Amino acid sequence: MSRSSDAGHFFQTTASLSEIERRAAKSKNTAGDPIKFSSKILALLADPEDADVGFVAEAAAVVRRVRLESKNTSVAFTGPTAPVTCLALSSSNAKDQPRTLFAGSWDKSIYAYSVPSSSPSSSQPIRKYVAGGHTDFVKAIVYVQIPLPVEKGRATERRGYKELLVSGGQDAKIIIWDVQTGKALKTLKGHARGVQCLAIDPLSLPGADFQADNSTTSNGAADTSGIILFSADTTREIRRWRIRLTSTGDIDAAQIDLDDKPEDFVGPIDPIVAHETSIYTLHFDADGDLWTASADKSVKCLSRERKWTTEMELPHPDFVRDVVVDEAGGWVVTVCRDEEVRVWERGEGRLRCVYSGHWEEVTSVAIVGTGGRRRVVSGSIDGTVRSWSLAPDEMGKVMEERERVERGELKEEEETETETALPGKAGERLMTEEEERELAELMDEDD
């Protein structure tokens, strides 16, 4: 044990003090051109309609809209009373019609905001989803439009869509919400532990070439047999659900097996099991294959053609928090509890680049931009969002420098800069010590 008269060092081991010093030194670096926020970042969401805009979910119970080029983070979406854990964004249904931003929180509620904000600096929620909802933390949300039933004899015509929001919580429940009314329409039960992540099968969406059950209409568009939802939990189980509207407009949802048979037809459903423990992310690529990030220190690609068995595995030194596929460049990007951002070749699974800069666990990643301006954006518990190049030449230079450091030919330099705090009271504590411990336990959950 080391000896110190500093009260901040009391009851801490030499190892923990060394780790504190390491993070303090690393926190001064400017790698990835960091954008600083007021608290821990728990989720990122890129705006598909504006390559310069993203949304950041903070532990300080706020969502901020960030403009990446100018680093403007002045627009704050407020309302939650606890950390915001997940984000979703609606589609544009009409020209000039505002979209809706959804935020799930530790306070067991989901908040809806009009985008763009009605105010230049802040926005209050236009709706709150809570009645008949979750009894524990909301951990995942997805937005989807589901086709309204078509009239008999008019199979190729549409009567419109119904907007739904699907949420998963620590209470092991999946809830389907009516976006317009905020009403909980149906609760899906099947998971034994907390639901960590959700994803809509893109090949089950209207207009896809074919649905997950291979059904098509005469014009090649997906029929009204419903959309397919994938969900994963802290016990490693991945489950599948078919969600559709009945002729009366009610929600019909049932768990399905690998042969797309509903639960009431085949009895108990066996889940997809590809990992050893918690799954943090489900992500579909353009081919309809499923990428998963897990606390078992791996990312896996589950093949649709092989009934969701492992086609590729990417090993990591610690928990993997998020994964995204860059379709244009052929890259797979992963973020890990070891503070690194990794870029892999999609075809062969070869590690192409490792980006260092974050000084705490990296929680989320997104691809922004188009063409030659594409880049990776990562968010971390260290309260920063950082950007990284996807250009092969730039990644090659980063790896060359990294190898020189490892060989001792180049000293690793820690750059410094003056920190700029967001508006607020000086010295204000954003979370209590109890909340900090609870957040750490939640982020470290691996059972």
Side-chain angles (χ1 to χ4, degrees):
M1 297 285 288
S2 56
R3 295 176 179 273
S4 172
S5 59
D6 186 341
H9 292 173
F10 291 176
F11 307 111
Q12 298 192 64
T13 65
T14 300
S16 65
L17 292 176
S18 297
E19 178 65 9
I20 291 172
E21 292 175 358
R22 181 194 70 81
R23 288 178 174 174
K26 193 176 180 182
S27 68
K28 300 174 183 178
N29 81 83
T30 57
D33 193 19
I35 303 173
K36 298 181 184 297
F37 291 80
S38 61
S39 64
K40 302 174 188 293
I41 295 172
L42 304 185
L44 282 179
L45 180 65
D47 189 336
E49 298 187 8
D50 190 335
D52 186 48
V53 172
F55 300 93
V56 176
E58 290 194 58
V62 67
V63 179
R64 289 192 180 273
R65 186 178 69 185
V66 55
R67 291 200 171 276
L68 300 172
E69 291 295 335
S70 65
K71 298 186 178 183
N72 186 326
T73 62
S74 62
V75 177
F77 299 88
T78 59
T81 58
V84 179
T85 58
C86 47
L87 300 170
L89 192 62
S90 73
S91 305
S92 294
N93 294 318
K95 187 177 181 181
D96 299 327
Q97 178 179 335
R99 290 171 297 157
T100 303
L101 174 69
F102 304 95
S105 172
W106 272 19
D107 65 14
K108 309 172 189 177
S109 302
I110 302 168
Y111 299 81
Y113 305 91
S114 178
V115 177
S117 171
S118 58
S119 165
S121 60
S122 66
S123 179
Q124 291 293 316
I126 57 175
R127 190 171 293 111
K128 183 178 179 181
Y129 303 80
V130 61
H134 291 283
T135 57
D136 209 332
F137 304 152
V138 179
K139 303 188 77 172
I141 50 177
V142 291
Y143 166 88
V144 66
Q145 293 180 341
I146 191 166
L148 293 172
V150 294
E151 295 179 3
K152 189 175 181 180
R154 303 176 64 186
T156 61
E157 296 185 23
R158 297 290 178 198
R159 293 191 300 177
Y161 301 90
K162 187 177 185 65
E163 293 183 293
L164 300 177
L165 188 70
V166 186
S167 60
Q170 183 65 16
D171 54 10
K173 295 190 295 186
I174 297 171
I175 299 177
I176 303 172
W177 306 82
D178 185 317
V179 167
Q180 297 303 321
T181 66
K183 180 182 178 181
L185 301 177
K186 197 172 188 67
T187 298
L188 309 180
K189 296 181 180 180
H191 288 283
R193 298 290 298 275
V195 178
Q196 296 263 85
C197 48
L198 302 168
I200 300 296
D201 184 345
L203 299 189
S204 72
L205 293 172
D209 291 335
F210 60 93
Q211 287 204 304
D213 61 358
N214 296 320
S215 60
T216 59
T217 60
S218 58
N219 66 353
D223 67 14
T224 54
S225 61
I227 57 100
I228 305 298
L229 172 75
F230 281 62
S231 58
D233 62 23
T234 61
T235 68
R236 72 180 179 164
E237 294 183 350
I238 301 174
R239 295 184 179 272
R240 303 168 69 235
W241 315 79
R242 177 179 280 114
I243 303 171
R244 55 191 166 193
L245 291 174
T246 66
S247 59
T248 60
D250 296 327
I251 290 292
D252 174 42
Q255 194 174 169
I256 56 177
D257 65 5
L258 295 182
D259 295 317
D260 294 319
K261 297 175 182 177
E263 183 179 33
D264 58 2
F265 181 78
V266 298
I269 302 295
D270 291 328
I272 300 169
V273 177
H275 289 278
E276 297 177 4
T277 185
S278 294
I279 298 172
Y280 295 119
T281 301
L282 298 173
H283 175 82
F284 280 97
D285 63 22
D287 296 326
D289 291 329
L290 181 64
W291 292 82
T292 57
S294 171
D296 68 5
K297 305 179 182 180
S298 73
V299 162
K300 294 186 178 183
C301 177
L302 307 186
S303 169
R304 176 185 295 272
E305 291 185 358
R306 300 175 186 174
K307 291 195 173 182
W308 312 111
T309 56
T310 302
E311 180 179 66
M312 179 182 293
E313 180 174 351
L314 307 178
H316 290 70
D318 211 328
F319 293 2
V320 191
R321 290 297 185 183
D322 202 2
V323 56
V324 67
V325 178
D326 172 34
E327 302 290 351
W331 310 114
V332 177
V333 186
T334 62
V335 293
C336 186
R337 194 168 68 167
D338 72 347
E339 305 170 7
E340 310 284 40
V341 177
R342 291 174 171 81
V343 183
W344 311 74
E345 291 183 355
R346 167 67 177 90
E348 300 179 359
R350 183 171 70 92
L351 181 61
R352 183 59 180 269
C353 188
V354 180
Y355 284 114
S356 297
H358 288 293
W359 48 275
E360 288 272 13
E361 178 176 340
V362 190
T363 57
S364 49
V365 65
I367 305 294
V368 299
T370 58
R373 294 181 59 82
R374 292 188 329 282
R375 52 181 165 159
V376 178
V377 177
S378 57
S380 168
I381 295 295
D382 66 16
T384 67
V385 166
R386 300 175 188 246
S387 300
W388 316 96
S389 175
L390 283 171
D393 290 348
E394 290 298 320
M395 289 192 286
K397 293 177 182 178
V398 169
M399 292 307 287
E400 286 179 10
E401 183 172 314
R402 189 180 185 91
E403 291 172 0
R404 291 179 63 191
V405 170
E406 292 175 353
R407 292 195 301 264
E409 298 174 5
L410 183 70
K411 290 186 178 180
E412 188 173 10
E413 297 182 355
E414 300 288 356
E415 299 181 3
T416 61
E417 67 175 1
T418 302
E419 296 191 12
T420 303
L422 292 174
K425 297 178 182 179
E428 180 180 11
R429 189 177 183 87
L430 295 167
M431 301 178 69
T432 67
E433 292 183 3
E434 182 179 357
E435 288 173 335
E436 290 279 3
R437 287 195 298 271
E438 194 171 11
L439 176 60
E441 290 172 1
L442 178 65
M443 298 303 296
D444 289 343
E445 186 177 46
D446 64 347
D447 58 351

